[in-house]
Amino acid sequence: GAVVSQHPSRVICKSGTSVKIECRSLDFQATTMFWYRQFPKQSLMLMATSNEGSKATYEQGVEKDKFLINHASLTLSTLTVTSAHPEDSSFYICSARDRLRTGRYNEQFFGPGTRLTVL
Amino acid sequence: AQTVTQSQPEMSVQEAETVTLSCTYDTSESNYYLFWYKQPPSRQMILVIRQEAYKQQNATENRFSVNFQKAAKSFSLKISDSQLGDTAMYFCAFMKHVVIGTSGSRLTFGEGTQLTVNP
């Protein structure tokens, strides 16, 4: 149990285009989802936290108009990188948790990540 | 705010030997969780071990065990009988205790330790 999927796993796009990344919880209700960005050989940097049905809370320094997050259902959150530029190239990871569960289900479960390359 | 520090950017160990990864943290919270995550070359984040701060007994999971020193705010990971498949980036992480139903707590990650197991 507690499986999180991400799609696509890899995406290459041209500068100026928008890219959407999906994060799905497959066997539990993801009442809260987190989006991270990770550069090579570095740690995960939290970009935003989203609760189902609410607007996302962005971390300081993260442009909310550039990284649009939608968490419209209990199993799906999307991250849209708008007008992508080469500096947006990175590895994006989502995680999900069910805040209504206790114990291990209170943990974050991670998706496999999406590698974005902007040419 | 919480901070997590991993002072060993890289470590190596011979197959079948034991290695210890260090982690220290700083917090004013009294109730929290500590985690070790493994990120192999596939970049999927995998939970290795979890420790509740209120439990004095150190957590163990097969070949993985921790040395949790709450007063010293130290949380080291010991890997026994190292295997080639243990080669990965290891992240120590902190999470405040969350009350069921609340939107919940973020994970604060350390910088990571790249562990290489040599044949």
Side-chain angles (χ1 to χ4, degrees), chain A residues 48-113:
Chain A
T49 303
S50 72
N51 292 299
E52 183 265 337
S54 303
K55 288 185 178 180
T57 301
Y58 290 81
E59 295 299 300
Q60 191 172 5
V62 178
E63 299 174 60
K64 62 178 67 175
D65 294 330
K66 180 162 192 62
F67 298 100
L68 300 179
I69 292 171
N70 184 286
H71 189 172
S73 81
L74 284 171
T75 59
L76 173 65
S77 177
T78 59
L79 168 67
T80 301
V81 183
T82 62
S83 187
H85 291 284
E87 57 266 29
D88 299 323
S89 297
S90 188
F91 193 69
Y92 292 88
I93 304 174
C94 73
S95 70
R97 63 180 284 266
D98 183 349
R99 67 174 183 268
L100 300 180
R101 303 284 296 270
T102 58
R104 67 180 294 271
Y105 296 99
N106 214 329
E107 298 170 13
Q108 292 185 31
F109 299 96
F110 287 84

Side-chain angles (χ1 to χ4, degrees), chain B residues 87-105:
Chain B
T87 293
M89 180 75 91
Y90 286 81
F91 293 101
C92 178
F94 172 101
M95 185 178 82
K96 288 193 302 184
H97 173 73
V98 291
V99 175
I100 186 170
T102 62
S103 61
S105 178

Side-chain angles (χ1 to χ4, degrees), chain B residues 11-81:
Chain B
M11 293 191 73
S12 63
V13 64
Q14 291 298 120
E15 198 174 5
E17 294 188 347
T18 295
V19 64
T20 298
L21 280 57
S22 301
C23 173
T24 58
Y25 60 95
D26 191 24
T27 184
S28 58
E29 301 288 330
S30 59
N31 201 1
Y32 50 87
Y33 305 98
L34 294 164
F35 306 89
W36 278 97
Y37 285 92
K38 167 185 176 180
Q39 189 180 42
S42 67
R43 302 190 78 171
Q44 169 74 60
M45 293 288 283
I46 301 167
L47 177 64
V48 174
I49 201 163
R50 176 182 189 265
Q51 175 81 43
E52 290 94 339
Y54 64 87
K55 290 186 177 179
Q56 292 189 344
Q57 186 172 9
N58 291 324
T60 62
E61 286 287 343
N62 301 312
R63 298 183 295 108
F64 299 88
S65 62
V66 298
N67 184 2
F68 174 48
Q69 301 290 327
K70 190 172 184 179
K73 295 180 180 172
S74 169
F75 183 61
S76 61
L77 174 70
K78 185 172 82 171
I79 305 174
S80 304
D81 186 26

